Amino acid sequence: MTLVEKIKQSPKLKKFILWMLIPVNDFRPRWWVRTFVVPFIGHRGKSSIIRKSCRLDIFPNHPFKLGDQSLIESFSIINNAVGDVIIGKQCVIGVSSVIIGPVNIGDKTIIAQHVVISGLNHGYENVEIAPAEQKVITKPINIGENVWIGANAVITAGVQIGKHCIVGANSVVTKDIPDYCVVGGNPARIIKKYNFTTKVWEKL
Ligand SMILES: CC(C)(COP(=O)(O)OP(=O)(O)OC[C@H]1O[C@@H](n2cnc3c(N)ncnc32)[C@H](O)[C@@H]1OP(=O)(O)O)[C@@H](O)C(=O)NCCC(=O)NCCS
């Protein structure tokens, strides 16, 4: 049995390892993890940039990958505690955006400012227990290549966004979006779709 399997099978050991990584009532890794572990885990592509003010809540239990020439702008938060965070090549994660895995972002995708993309939901079904104490539920978010997500948008868990889609500012995306669509509003609806015959973005 491997060490990881041993840890997974023992709730006590699991709790202890978790306590070593994160203080009770906190979500970010301890100082020693941030200093001596976080910089050496995950994969950061060639010429990629992560601004110093970013908060990287990166843990060794899930992958974190940032593609070549991608940029994570100031004050953004990346969290892979409960799911992978995979960001493609030449992507931009705008100022003050939050990405909580499982999230997969295709190449050349732009995330504007103050965008929240979270593959995590808190369980709320049991009314006897606070949502904060219920199990977290994860559903992967997949965002295609060449996508542009406008400022203040929210993408909820499990959503699949096709390639070359545009998400309007302030939208809340709760349903899948096919390729080559412009969506907007709360909940987001398709506003325009590219017609490959007429070569025009047609209003719906
Ligand atoms: C989504 C967006 C790209 C659409 O631009 P566009 O193709 O020129 O769209 P139009 O202006 O022709 O608008 C088409 C319709 O969608 C509506 N619409 C546009 N943006 C919308 C939004 N964010 N939310 C809801 N509806 C929106 C318009 O009101 C219009 O509605 P109508 O047909 O009833 O008049 C743009 O409005 C937007 O939100 N850009 C994001 C800006 C941003 O976040 N910048 C940050 C810097 S990276």
Side-chain angles (χ1 to χ4, degrees):
M1 188 189 290
T2 66
L3 183 65
V4 177
E5 282 166 349
K6 255 188 190 167
I7 294 168
K8 277 185 179 166
Q9 279 181 15
S10 162
K12 260 192 176 174
L13 198 57
K14 214 172 152 181
K15 206 172 164 189
F16 175 69
I17 299 282
L18 199 66
W19 176 83
M20 293 269 289
L21 295 172
I22 320 168
V24 179
N25 296 339
D26 204 347
F27 297 106
R28 65 184 307 199
R30 286 183 187 276
W31 175 85
W32 73 268
V33 182
R34 295 202 304 273
T35 311
F36 300 112
V37 180
V38 170
F40 305 103
I41 55 176
H43 170 82
R44 290 162 208 203
K46 219 172 131 198
S47 307
S48 63
I49 300 169
I50 301 177
R51 300 274 187 233
K52 270 202 179 126
S53 60
C54 289
R55 190 175 129 181
L56 297 180
D57 294 353
I58 300 296
F59 298 90
N61 55 332
H62 290 283
F64 163 61
K65 283 187 191 164
L66 181 63
D68 295 350
Q69 295 171 36
S70 283
L71 163 66
I72 303 182
E73 267 294 5
S74 307
F75 309 110
S76 290
I77 300 176
I78 308 290
N79 185 314
N80 74 340
V82 294
D84 313 355
V85 174
I86 312 290
I87 301 171
K89 293 177 192 161
Q90 295 173 40
C91 291
V92 177
I93 310 299
V95 171
S96 288
S97 291
V98 177
I99 298 180
I100 301 171
V103 171
N104 198 319
I105 299 175
D107 296 343
K108 296 188 181 173
T109 281
I110 313 168
I111 313 290
Q113 303 77 21
H114 306 278
V115 172
V116 177
I117 304 172
S118 174
L120 173 155
N121 273 333
H122 291 279
Y124 61 87
E125 288 74 9
N126 188 339
V127 293
E128 308 292 331
I129 306 171
E133 288 167 0
Q134 296 195 35
K135 257 196 162 180
V136 297
I137 301 139
T138 57
K139 287 186 205 161
I141 295 175
N142 286 301
I143 300 174
E145 59 191 21
N146 305 344
V147 168
W148 172 32
I149 299 186
N152 295 315
V154 175
I155 316 295
T156 62
V159 162
Q160 317 290 306
I161 300 182
K163 66 175 160 189
H164 209 115
C165 283
I166 315 301
V167 175
N170 247 1
S171 302
V172 179
V173 185
T174 59
K175 300 255 163 48
D176 296 353
I177 309 170
D179 297 347
Y180 303 100
C181 286
V182 179
V183 301
N186 177 7
R189 306 264 183 238
I190 298 176
I191 297 170
K192 291 183 182 178
K193 196 168 176 35
Y194 190 71
N195 182 331
F196 278 90
T197 313
T198 58
K199 297 197 181 340
V200 170
W201 284 91
E202 292 173 348
K203 252 187 174 182
L204 295 189

